[in-house]
Every structure is written in structure tokens, then in C-alpha cells.
Amino acid sequence: MNYRKLGNTGINVSEISLGTWQVGGKWGSGFDDKNAAYILNEAVDNGVNFIDTADVYENGQSERAVGKLIRSRKEKIYVATKCGRFINPHVNEGYQPQSVRKYVEQSLKNMDLDCIDLIQLHCPPTEVYYRQEIFEEFEKLKEEGKIAHLGVSVEKVEEGLKAIEYPIVETVQIIFNMFRHRPAELFFQEAKKRNIGIITRVPLASGLLTGKFNATTEFSNEDHRHFNRKGEVFDQGETFSGIDYNLALEAVDQLVELFPKETALVHYALKWILMYKEVSCVIPGVSKIAQLHSNLETLNIPDLSDEELKAVDAIYTTLIRPSVHHRW
């Protein structure tokens, strides 16, 4: 495993870390504690030291599984969780200092921890980033020793740029992948100036960049890849990176043709992200142990060549950019 600095937090995190949205099973299939424990422990056995979760993942079950892991291991494992998505309706007015405090304290209980290494606002409405009193509450929580660091998980580049104006914000979690290039422009530059840790999520565009989907692939009714393609429930950009499914399949076909057949597309997709030195880590989610092992194999392949990088950019520019670049 290779490790990188998480901005100015003083933490070194595994390049390939772990997201736990579906760690207890496939999206919408219920939570399997045994499977979650197996995946989490196997990840740590292979050098993963940074795990991202959220209070809303399976209504706290993901947090409880992560907390159990941390308490059972001798290694230092850094936990990042997120808060705010329980606010219903999920609107700016629902974010109040007392509400974010309540969620942080509940996460501490869920994980049975005294301090959260990194707490992140979980994709709040854009207006929240302009409310200083919310960030001041996290400063109080930090002074009380309940959190060590604050970050934000954002939908839009503009939200990340606003968030890092607050000195307490040390990390930004953002969607960045072969189908989402915009963060590498102004945001990466500004984050580097401020020594902000960048956590990249949705690295495989909800599985599209595994190269395993086709026009007849079916997703369960409880899977967001079935019910949120047009942003019916939450931000459209979280599902397939906001790209029309059939258009994305066309782009995937071109990517598969671009790279040598002996290596899976998933490895090139993750390696492409890690080519950007501003990135602290990537947090692919897994529901099966084989997916974890596959993600880790990325560390064994060489960097993409200049020609390959240019070809990826050309595919993005031609097929993907017109529909997504200006939106997120």
C-alpha cells in the first residue's frame, strides 16, 4: 500500500481507502454484519487505514460496523463519517448548530468512540456553505474533543471552493473520475494552495467504469441506479456521475478499446484518479471481498501513458463533457 498526506491534518492515508455505503451488501439489499466485518478486516489486513462512512448508511449500521472494527484492531485506523442527511426535508433551514451537534454525538454513540477523526458535512444544500454559525459549531465540537478534523462532502465544485474559505475545513470529498473531470481545474489548484485533503468518491461512476454493465443490465428497485437516474431522490450526479446511461455505455466501450485487454478497466479508472497528486485518496465502495481485492490490484499496474491520458480526455470531451461539465 502507498500512503499520502491528507492535507494539513497530519494524517497519512492509504491511496486506495474504503467507502462503506454498500459494505454490508448491495444497495437496497439490507445490511449483512458478517459480510461487512469480513470486508473491513480484509481491507485493514491489506494496508487500508482510512474508512469513510455516514450516519445514514443503513441507518447507522455501517457506522456501528466501522466502530466495532476500530475497537478490535491494534492498527491505527482513521474513520471519517458524515452528518446532515437525516434532516428531512433536506433543506437549508434544517441545518442548525444544535442539529449538527446532535448528529455528531449520535455518530459517536453508534461507533462507541470518544472522538471522530474526521466529520464531514454530507452534501448539504449550497446555502449552508454560506452560514458561518454552522462551521463555528464544529469549532466548538473540536474544542470539546469530540471531533479531530472537519471536512465537507460536496456535489459541486463551487461548494468546495466556498467551503475551503473556512479555516476549520481541512478536507473536501468530491466526485472525480474519468467521467467527471471538472474538479481537476480550478478546485484542485485552490485546494493545493490551502493544503486541503482531497477525498475522491464515486470513482467508478456507480460501477459503469468496471466495464461490466450493458444495455440489458438490471438493477433492483431499491438500488439508486434504478430509481435516481434523473435525480428523483437525491442529486443526479451521485448516480452514474449524472450521465445518461446509454451514452455512458458508449464511452465505456471506447475506454475498453483503449487499454490492454489483460487488465480490467476498473484498474485504469482508479489509476487515472491517482495520477493526480492533489488527490489524497480514493474511496471505492465494495459489497464483495473480490471487489476489494480487485481495487487493490490497481497498485500493481503502471501509470497511464501520456497518449492514454490524452485519449481519455478526448473521450470525455467528445461524449461526456457537454452534458455534465457545467453542472457539477
Side-chain angles (χ1 to χ4, degrees), residues 214-262:
N214 57 47
T216 62
T217 301
E218 295 184 357
F219 303 96
S220 71
N221 291 341
E222 295 78 20
D223 190 320
H224 74 99
R225 294 172 294 186
H226 172 79
F227 65 73
N228 194 62
R229 293 192 183 191
K230 295 183 179 180
E232 295 92 333
V233 179
F234 46 82
D235 192 90
Q236 183 182 357
E238 296 284 349
T239 303
F240 299 134
S241 293
I243 306 161
D244 174 79
Y245 183 71
N246 291 321
L247 178 63
L249 290 178
E250 184 180 345
V252 168
D253 286 343
Q254 292 190 23
L255 288 169
V256 170
E257 289 299 316
L258 173 62
F259 297 110
K261 301 298 184 293
E262 62 269 17

Side-chain angles (χ1 to χ4, degrees), residues 85-280:
R85 295 299 300 194
F86 271 126
I87 294 172
N88 187 22
H90 190 240
V91 295
N92 173 44
E93 292 76 12
Y95 279 79
Q96 299 297 329
Q98 63 269 25
S99 64
V100 296
R101 171 177 288 273
K102 177 185 71 174
Y103 293 127
V104 169
E105 292 176 343
Q106 183 59 52
S107 289
L108 286 167
K109 292 179 181 177
N110 288 347
M111 294 185 285
D112 194 14
L113 298 175
D114 295 323
C115 178
I116 297 169
D117 295 310
L118 175 65
I119 187 70
Q120 303 158 100
L121 279 170
H122 197 172
C123 300
T126 302
E127 300 94 323
V128 174
Y129 295 99
Y130 291 83
R131 294 175 53 200
Q132 186 170 342
E133 73 272 20
I134 300 299
F135 294 87
E136 289 175 346
E137 189 66 22
F138 285 106
E139 291 177 350
K140 295 176 183 177
L141 288 163
K142 187 173 183 178
E143 291 171 358
E144 295 167 17
K146 294 181 178 180
I147 65 172
H149 304 283
L150 173 67
V152 295
S153 182
V154 303
E155 299 289 2
K156 301 176 181 179
V157 164
E158 290 82 0
E159 293 168 345
L161 290 171
K162 178 58 183 177
I164 62 178
E165 293 180 4
Y166 296 96
I168 192 174
V169 174
E170 297 179 272
T171 69
V172 173
Q173 184 178 139
I174 194 166
I175 296 176
F176 182 59
N177 57 48
M178 284 181 167
F179 289 167
R180 185 74 72 84
H181 290 201
R182 189 179 178 193
E185 299 174 354
L186 179 61
F187 174 70
F188 277 18
Q189 296 175 27
E190 293 301 314
K192 184 177 181 180
K193 288 179 184 177
R194 293 172 170 80
N195 196 17
I196 299 295
I198 297 176
I199 303 164
T200 57
R201 75 174 191 280
V202 196
L204 302 176
S206 306
L208 278 170
L209 291 169
T210 64
K212 296 180 179 180
F213 299 166
N214 57 47
T216 62
T217 301
E218 295 184 357
F219 303 96
S220 71
N221 291 341
E222 295 78 20
D223 190 320
H224 74 99
R225 294 172 294 186
H226 172 79
F227 65 73
N228 194 62
R229 293 192 183 191
K230 295 183 179 180
E232 295 92 333
V233 179
F234 46 82
D235 192 90
Q236 183 182 357
E238 296 284 349
T239 303
F240 299 134
S241 293
I243 306 161
D244 174 79
Y245 183 71
N246 291 321
L247 178 63
L249 290 178
E250 184 180 345
V252 168
D253 286 343
Q254 292 190 23
L255 288 169
V256 170
E257 289 299 316
L258 173 62
F259 297 110
K261 301 298 184 293
E262 62 269 17
T263 303
L265 178 59
V266 60
H267 303 133
Y268 292 108
L270 294 176
K271 178 64 75 169
W272 181 87
I273 296 171
L274 293 173
M275 294 282 289
Y276 288 83
K277 300 308 178 186
E278 297 90 344
V279 170
S280 300

